[in-house]
Amino acid sequence: MKRIGNLIVNVLFWGCLLWIGFLVLKIFCISTFRIPSESMQPVLESGDYIVANKLIPGPRLYNIFKLENGRPPSIKRLTGYRKVRRNDVVVFNFPHPDNWEKIEMHVMKYYVKRCIGLPGDTVSIRNGYYRTGDTAESPGNRESQARIAARRKESFEPVVYTTYPYQDSMGWNIKEFGPLYVPRQGDRIVLDETCYHLYKQLIEWEEKGTLEYRDQQFFLNGTPVTSYCFRHDYYFMGGDNGEDSQDSRYWGLLPDEFIAGKAWFIWKSVDPFTRKIRWERILKKIN
Protein backbone atom coordinates (compact mmCIF):
# COMPACT_ATOMS: atom_id res chain seq x y z
CA MET A 1 0.00 0.00 0.00
CA LYS A 2 2.88 2.36 0.78
CA ARG A 3 4.41 1.75 -2.65
CA ILE A 4 1.05 2.37 -4.34
CA GLY A 5 0.60 5.54 -2.29
CA ASN A 6 4.06 6.78 -3.30
CA LEU A 7 3.29 6.02 -6.95
CA ILE A 8 0.04 8.00 -6.81
CA VAL A 9 1.78 10.96 -5.15
CA ASN A 10 4.55 10.91 -7.78
CA VAL A 11 2.08 10.70 -10.65
CA LEU A 12 0.05 13.61 -9.23
CA PHE A 13 3.19 15.66 -8.63
CA TRP A 14 4.62 15.19 -12.12
CA GLY A 15 1.17 15.58 -13.69
CA CYS A 16 0.68 18.93 -11.93
CA LEU A 17 4.21 20.00 -12.91
CA LEU A 18 3.57 19.15 -16.56
CA TRP A 19 0.23 20.98 -16.49
CA ILE A 20 1.83 24.10 -14.97
CA GLY A 21 4.60 23.92 -17.58
CA PHE A 22 2.00 23.64 -20.34
CA LEU A 23 0.11 26.68 -19.02
CA VAL A 24 3.32 28.73 -18.79
CA LEU A 25 4.18 27.73 -22.36
CA LYS A 26 0.71 28.72 -23.62
CA ILE A 27 0.59 32.02 -21.73
CA PHE A 28 4.13 33.25 -22.33
CA CYS A 29 5.61 31.45 -25.34
CA ILE A 30 3.34 29.96 -28.01
CA SER A 31 -0.26 29.48 -29.09
CA THR A 32 -1.86 27.40 -31.83
CA PHE A 33 -4.46 28.51 -34.36
CA ARG A 34 -6.41 27.00 -37.25
CA ILE A 35 -6.54 28.75 -40.63
CA PRO A 36 -10.21 28.84 -41.79
CA SER A 37 -9.93 30.71 -45.11
CA GLU A 38 -7.84 31.26 -48.25
CA SER A 39 -6.94 34.89 -47.47
CA MET A 40 -3.25 34.06 -46.93
CA GLN A 41 -2.72 31.74 -49.89
CA PRO A 42 -0.27 30.45 -50.98
CA VAL A 43 1.68 30.74 -47.71
CA LEU A 44 -1.21 29.43 -45.61
CA GLU A 45 -4.02 27.17 -46.79
CA SER A 46 -7.44 26.58 -45.29
CA GLY A 47 -7.07 23.69 -42.87
CA ASP A 48 -3.53 24.56 -41.75
CA TYR A 49 -2.86 24.54 -38.01
CA ILE A 50 -0.10 26.94 -37.05
CA VAL A 51 2.08 27.77 -34.05
CA ALA A 52 2.48 31.46 -33.21
CA ASN A 53 5.54 32.75 -31.37
CA LYS A 54 4.44 35.14 -28.59
CA LEU A 55 7.99 35.98 -27.57
CA ILE A 56 8.59 38.19 -30.60
CA PRO A 57 6.08 40.96 -29.79
CA GLY A 58 6.04 39.92 -26.11
CA PRO A 59 3.32 37.94 -24.30
CA ARG A 60 0.19 39.79 -23.18
CA LEU A 61 -1.31 39.67 -19.69
CA TYR A 62 -4.91 40.68 -19.07
CA ASN A 63 -7.79 40.08 -16.67
CA ILE A 64 -9.98 37.32 -18.12
CA PHE A 65 -12.72 38.06 -15.58
CA LYS A 66 -13.27 41.48 -17.17
CA LEU A 67 -13.79 39.74 -20.50
CA GLU A 68 -16.39 37.43 -18.98
CA ASN A 69 -18.29 40.50 -17.74
CA GLY A 70 -18.13 42.15 -21.16
CA ARG A 71 -15.72 44.88 -20.05
CA PRO A 72 -12.61 45.81 -22.08
CA PRO A 73 -9.49 44.34 -20.45
CA SER A 74 -6.42 46.29 -19.40
CA ILE A 75 -3.60 44.70 -21.37
CA LYS A 76 0.01 44.65 -20.21
CA ARG A 77 2.60 43.44 -22.68
CA LEU A 78 5.87 42.00 -21.47
CA THR A 79 9.04 42.86 -23.37
CA GLY A 80 9.56 40.74 -26.48
CA TYR A 81 12.92 39.81 -27.96
CA ARG A 82 12.22 41.87 -31.10
CA LYS A 83 9.49 44.02 -32.61
CA VAL A 84 7.20 43.07 -35.47
CA ARG A 85 8.87 43.73 -38.81
CA ARG A 86 7.49 44.58 -42.20
CA ASN A 87 6.48 41.36 -44.07
CA ASP A 88 6.11 39.33 -40.85
CA VAL A 89 3.04 37.07 -40.84
CA VAL A 90 1.20 38.10 -37.69
CA VAL A 91 -1.62 36.61 -35.59
CA PHE A 92 -3.88 39.22 -33.99
CA ASN A 93 -7.30 39.74 -32.47
CA PHE A 94 -9.66 41.09 -35.11
CA PRO A 95 -10.41 44.68 -34.00
CA HIS A 96 -14.00 44.73 -35.31
CA PRO A 97 -15.70 41.55 -34.05
CA ASP A 98 -19.22 43.02 -33.92
CA ASN A 99 -19.17 45.82 -36.51
CA TRP A 100 -16.72 47.96 -38.44
CA GLU A 101 -17.85 51.20 -36.80
CA LYS A 102 -15.71 50.82 -33.68
CA ILE A 103 -12.68 48.95 -32.38
CA GLU A 104 -13.29 46.25 -29.76
CA MET A 105 -11.34 43.36 -28.26
CA HIS A 106 -12.60 39.79 -28.71
CA VAL A 107 -9.99 37.36 -27.38
CA MET A 108 -11.45 34.37 -29.24
CA LYS A 109 -11.54 35.93 -32.71
CA TYR A 110 -8.18 35.91 -34.48
CA TYR A 111 -6.96 36.89 -37.93
CA VAL A 112 -3.66 36.06 -39.62
CA LYS A 113 -2.23 38.63 -42.06
CA ARG A 114 1.09 39.98 -43.27
CA CYS A 115 2.43 43.22 -41.82
CA ILE A 116 2.62 45.76 -44.64
CA GLY A 117 3.05 49.01 -42.71
CA LEU A 118 4.84 49.68 -39.42
CA PRO A 119 4.30 52.57 -37.00
CA GLY A 120 5.62 55.68 -38.73
CA ASP A 121 5.20 54.28 -42.26
CA THR A 122 3.07 55.90 -44.95
CA VAL A 123 1.22 53.19 -46.87
CA SER A 124 -0.25 53.62 -50.32
CA ILE A 125 -1.36 51.39 -53.19
CA ARG A 126 -0.51 52.40 -56.73
CA ASN A 127 -2.06 50.34 -59.54
CA GLY A 128 -2.51 47.43 -57.11
CA TYR A 129 1.03 47.49 -55.66
CA TYR A 130 1.81 48.39 -52.05
CA ARG A 131 4.19 51.26 -51.35
CA THR A 132 5.51 52.22 -47.93
CA GLY A 133 7.50 55.32 -48.83
CA ASP A 134 10.94 54.16 -47.67
CA THR A 135 11.38 50.98 -49.72
CA ALA A 136 11.62 50.54 -53.48
CA GLU A 137 10.20 47.01 -53.35
CA SER A 138 6.52 46.37 -52.64
CA PRO A 139 5.91 44.52 -49.35
CA GLY A 140 3.49 41.59 -49.38
CA ASN A 141 2.73 39.04 -52.09
CA ARG A 142 3.73 40.61 -55.41
CA GLU A 143 2.01 37.91 -57.49
CA SER A 144 -1.35 38.81 -55.95
CA GLN A 145 -0.67 42.51 -56.44
CA ALA A 146 0.18 41.87 -60.10
CA ARG A 147 -3.17 40.11 -60.61
CA ILE A 148 -4.99 43.09 -59.11
CA ALA A 149 -3.00 45.48 -61.30
CA ALA A 150 -3.97 43.52 -64.42
CA ARG A 151 -7.71 43.59 -63.71
CA ARG A 152 -10.10 46.30 -64.80
CA LYS A 153 -12.29 48.11 -62.28
CA GLU A 154 -15.44 46.55 -63.78
CA SER A 155 -14.18 43.03 -63.00
CA PHE A 156 -14.31 43.63 -59.23
CA GLU A 157 -17.43 43.41 -57.11
CA PRO A 158 -18.15 46.86 -55.58
CA VAL A 159 -17.72 45.44 -52.06
CA VAL A 160 -14.21 44.29 -53.03
CA TYR A 161 -13.19 47.34 -55.05
CA THR A 162 -14.16 50.10 -52.59
CA THR A 163 -11.99 50.40 -49.49
CA TYR A 164 -11.49 52.22 -46.21
CA PRO A 165 -12.45 54.91 -45.24
CA TYR A 166 -15.41 54.60 -47.69
CA GLN A 167 -15.52 58.29 -48.55
CA ASP A 168 -16.57 59.15 -52.11
CA SER A 169 -14.59 62.39 -51.93
CA MET A 170 -11.37 60.45 -51.30
CA GLY A 171 -12.02 57.72 -53.85
CA TRP A 172 -9.72 55.09 -52.31
CA ASN A 173 -10.00 51.61 -53.80
CA ILE A 174 -8.21 48.28 -54.16
CA LYS A 175 -5.97 49.66 -56.94
CA GLU A 176 -5.43 53.24 -55.79
CA PHE A 177 -5.25 53.74 -52.03
CA GLY A 178 -3.72 56.32 -49.71
CA PRO A 179 -1.38 57.78 -48.76
CA LEU A 180 -2.28 56.64 -45.25
CA TYR A 181 0.08 57.54 -42.41
CA VAL A 182 0.38 54.77 -39.79
CA PRO A 183 0.60 56.51 -36.38
CA ARG A 184 3.18 55.64 -33.78
CA GLN A 185 3.05 56.35 -30.06
CA GLY A 186 3.64 60.03 -29.40
CA ASP A 187 2.68 61.27 -32.88
CA ARG A 188 0.56 64.40 -32.85
CA ILE A 189 -1.75 65.17 -35.79
CA VAL A 190 -3.63 68.36 -36.59
CA LEU A 191 -7.27 67.41 -37.03
CA ASP A 192 -8.94 68.13 -40.35
CA GLU A 193 -11.74 66.42 -42.23
CA THR A 194 -9.42 63.84 -43.81
CA CYS A 195 -7.82 62.93 -40.47
CA TYR A 196 -11.27 62.69 -38.95
CA HIS A 197 -12.31 59.99 -41.44
CA LEU A 198 -8.98 58.13 -41.21
CA TYR A 199 -8.38 58.13 -37.46
CA LYS A 200 -11.78 58.58 -35.81
CA GLN A 201 -12.02 54.94 -34.71
CA LEU A 202 -8.48 54.90 -33.34
CA ILE A 203 -9.03 58.04 -31.29
CA GLU A 204 -12.37 56.84 -29.95
CA TRP A 205 -10.80 53.50 -28.98
CA GLU A 206 -7.93 55.20 -27.13
CA GLU A 207 -10.20 57.70 -25.39
CA LYS A 208 -13.10 55.29 -24.77
CA GLY A 209 -15.40 58.04 -26.03
CA THR A 210 -16.61 59.85 -29.15
CA LEU A 211 -15.02 62.18 -31.68
CA GLU A 212 -17.52 64.41 -33.49
CA TYR A 213 -17.22 66.90 -36.35
CA ARG A 214 -19.86 69.61 -36.43
CA ASP A 215 -20.00 73.31 -37.26
CA GLN A 216 -16.46 73.12 -38.68
CA GLN A 217 -15.14 72.02 -35.26
CA PHE A 218 -13.99 68.76 -33.69
CA PHE A 219 -15.26 67.64 -30.29
CA LEU A 220 -13.64 64.85 -28.29
CA ASN A 221 -16.02 63.68 -25.57
CA GLY A 222 -17.77 67.04 -25.92
CA THR A 223 -14.60 69.14 -25.59
CA PRO A 224 -13.37 71.18 -28.60
CA VAL A 225 -9.99 69.92 -29.91
CA THR A 226 -7.73 70.91 -32.79
CA SER A 227 -5.11 68.14 -32.57
CA TYR A 228 -4.57 64.70 -31.10
CA CYS A 229 -1.52 62.82 -29.72
CA PHE A 230 -1.63 59.03 -30.18
CA ARG A 231 -0.88 56.81 -27.20
CA HIS A 232 -0.36 53.55 -29.15
CA ASP A 233 1.52 52.16 -32.12
CA TYR A 234 -0.50 50.99 -35.12
CA TYR A 235 0.07 48.58 -38.01
CA PHE A 236 -1.27 48.05 -41.53
CA MET A 237 -2.08 44.39 -42.27
CA GLY A 238 -2.62 42.80 -45.68
CA GLY A 239 -3.59 39.32 -46.88
CA ASP A 240 -1.36 37.51 -49.39
CA ASN A 241 -4.46 36.62 -51.40
CA GLY A 242 -5.25 40.28 -52.00
CA GLU A 243 -8.33 39.65 -54.14
CA ASP A 244 -10.04 37.77 -51.29
CA SER A 245 -8.89 39.13 -47.95
CA GLN A 246 -10.52 41.27 -45.25
CA ASP A 247 -7.54 43.32 -44.19
CA SER A 248 -6.50 46.90 -43.39
CA ARG A 249 -7.59 48.05 -46.84
CA TYR A 250 -11.17 47.51 -45.63
CA TRP A 251 -11.23 47.98 -41.84
CA GLY A 252 -8.27 50.28 -41.17
CA LEU A 253 -5.29 50.11 -38.82
CA LEU A 254 -4.48 47.59 -36.10
CA PRO A 255 -3.63 48.74 -32.53
CA ASP A 256 -0.49 47.25 -31.01
CA GLU A 257 -2.41 45.67 -28.10
CA PHE A 258 -4.24 43.34 -30.49
CA ILE A 259 -1.10 41.56 -31.75
CA ALA A 260 -0.83 38.04 -30.29
CA GLY A 261 2.33 36.74 -31.97
CA LYS A 262 4.27 36.02 -35.13
CA ALA A 263 3.19 32.98 -37.15
CA TRP A 264 6.05 30.47 -36.83
CA PHE A 265 5.36 27.10 -38.50
CA ILE A 266 2.58 24.72 -39.56
CA TRP A 267 2.25 21.84 -37.11
CA LYS A 268 -0.67 20.10 -38.82
CA SER A 269 -2.55 20.49 -42.10
CA VAL A 270 -5.86 18.85 -43.01
CA ASP A 271 -7.55 19.21 -46.39
CA PRO A 272 -10.99 20.72 -45.52
CA PHE A 273 -12.71 18.77 -48.31
CA THR A 274 -11.12 15.32 -48.18
CA ARG A 275 -10.10 15.46 -44.47
CA LYS A 276 -6.75 13.94 -45.45
CA ILE A 277 -3.53 14.97 -43.76
CA ARG A 278 -1.33 17.11 -46.03
CA TRP A 279 1.98 15.66 -44.88
CA GLU A 280 4.05 17.88 -47.17
CA ARG A 281 2.93 20.97 -45.22
CA ILE A 282 3.71 19.72 -41.72
CA LEU A 283 6.57 21.57 -39.98
CA LYS A 284 6.74 24.05 -42.87
CA LYS A 285 8.16 27.38 -41.70
CA ILE A 286 5.95 30.44 -42.31
CA ASN A 287 7.70 33.29 -44.12
Side-chain angles (χ1 to χ4, degrees):
M1 290 297 293
K2 180 183 282 189
R3 295 171 70 182
I4 293 174
N6 285 334
L7 179 63
I8 292 173
V9 169
N10 286 334
V11 168
L12 289 174
F13 172 77
W14 288 108
C16 289
L17 204 61
L18 287 172
W19 179 245
I20 291 171
F22 173 75
L23 287 179
V24 170
L25 192 69
K26 287 280 288 180
I27 293 172
F28 294 101
C29 300
I30 62 172
S31 281
T32 60
F33 305 91
R34 183 179 69 85
I35 305 301
S37 72
E38 291 78 32
S39 69
M40 280 298 292
Q41 285 180 331
V43 172
L44 295 174
E45 300 280 353
S46 176
D48 285 346
Y49 291 76
I50 68 170
V51 173
N53 185 347
K54 293 182 175 183
L55 295 175
I56 285 180
R60 300 176 299 174
L61 302 177
Y62 46 81
N63 189 338
I64 61 172
F65 298 107
K66 280 190 175 182
L67 295 171
E68 291 176 352
N69 295 327
R71 293 179 293 166
S74 297
I75 295 176
K76 178 177 176 56
R77 188 183 296 278
L78 304 183
T79 303
Y81 67 81
R82 76 163 173 83
K83 293 186 176 182
V84 171
R85 297 171 182 163
R86 194 180 296 116
N87 272 324
D88 280 350
V89 178
V90 176
V91 180
F92 57 91
N93 297 104
F94 183 51
H96 301 279
D98 296 323
N99 62 72
W100 288 12
E101 299 301 318
K102 63 178 180 177
I103 295 173
E104 297 177 287
M105 171 67 75
H106 191 309
V107 293
M108 297 306 294
K109 189 165 187 177
Y110 289 92
Y111 271 26
V112 181
K113 304 292 179 189
R114 190 176 297 278
C115 180
I116 301 297
L118 298 171
D121 282 346
T122 297
V123 176
S124 60
I125 300 174
R126 295 294 173 255
N127 192 31
Y129 288 92
Y130 284 117
R131 297 286 184 267
T132 58
D134 62 348
T135 57
E137 186 173 339
S138 296
N141 181 3
R142 288 183 61 85
E143 289 77 12
S144 171
Q145 294 170 53
R147 291 195 300 269
I148 293 173
R151 290 179 60 175
R152 299 177 60 184
K153 172 184 176 180
E154 295 75 17
S155 68
F156 293 98
E157 292 291 332
V159 69
V160 174
Y161 189 75
T162 306
T163 61
Y164 183 86
Y166 305 101
Q167 295 296 314
D168 293 338
S169 60
M170 299 174 70
W172 292 10
N173 57 68
I174 197 174
K175 298 187 73 167
E176 299 292 333
F177 179 100
L180 171 61
Y181 179 74
V182 183
R184 58 190 163 195
Q185 185 180 17
D187 280 343
R188 180 173 291 277
I189 59 168
V190 177
L191 289 171
D192 57 22
E193 192 168 353
T194 298
C195 288
Y196 172 77
H197 293 306
L198 294 179
Y199 305 120
K200 178 179 186 291
Q201 293 180 2
L202 308 185
I203 294 171
E204 290 184 336
W205 172 73
E206 286 195 356
E207 297 295 327
K208 305 295 185 289
T210 58
L211 179 66
E212 299 176 285
Y213 178 49
R214 62 178 187 270
D215 301 326
Q216 305 298 310
Q217 280 190 296
F218 298 95
F219 296 87
L220 181 56
N221 294 331
T223 302
V225 291
T226 58
S227 65
Y228 185 77
C229 184
F230 289 99
R231 301 203 300 268
H232 287 267
D233 287 331
Y234 293 89
Y235 297 81
F236 188 103
M237 299 294 176
D240 280 4
N241 184 7
E243 296 162 285
D244 184 19
S245 174
Q246 284 189 2
D247 50 42
S248 288
R249 296 170 300 169
Y250 298 102
W251 43 259
L253 299 173
L254 179 72
D256 52 4
E257 283 191 354
F258 287 64
I259 293 177
K262 180 188 179 297
W264 189 8
F265 64 88
I266 300 168
W267 70 272
K268 184 173 77 169
S269 184
V270 180
D271 189 298
F273 301 104
T274 65
R275 308 309 301 169
K276 292 182 178 179
I277 300 291
R278 294 182 289 212
W279 295 100
E280 72 280 4
R281 298 188 62 78
I282 293 179
L283 300 184
K284 182 178 179 181
K285 189 176 179 181
I286 301 168
N287 293 312

